[in-house]
Amino acid sequence: MDKEWARLEPYVNGLYLSFETDGRPERLGDAFPPSTLRRLRELKARYDPDNVFRDNFNIRPEES
């Protein structure tokens, strides 16, 4: 399925993480604009600095 889906990639913009099967960290950049991902990392650093909630597309806390 991933091989066939890759053929459609040039025609789509963004993704819905709950339906995504490709768990590579780079996929976060496809799901969130840079400013949004930066804000999510800031929030993660504040509320989950130990990265307890790291399953299903881990957003690492912003490093200070």
Side-chain angles (χ1 to χ4, degrees), residues 2-63:
D2 289 337
K3 188 167 125 180
E4 294 302 317
W5 186 248
R7 292 176 42 195
L8 296 174
E9 191 171 354
Y11 307 103
V12 296
N13 184 12
L15 62 101
Y16 185 62
L17 289 178
S18 292
F19 293 145
E20 183 57 47
T21 59
D22 182 354
R24 293 175 298 146
E26 326 50 278
R27 296 300 287 170
L28 288 173
D30 296 331
F32 303 109
S35 60
T36 302
L37 187 54
R38 187 171 36 257
R39 179 71 177 138
L40 288 171
R41 290 190 194 286
E42 290 171 3
L43 290 168
K44 184 81 178 239
R46 182 182 309 159
Y47 295 108
D48 185 19
D50 296 326
N51 205 22
V52 174
F53 299 100
R54 62 183 167 270
D55 294 333
N56 192 20
F57 293 96
N58 181 28
I59 296 175
R60 292 182 322 276
E62 180 181 68
E63 297 175 7

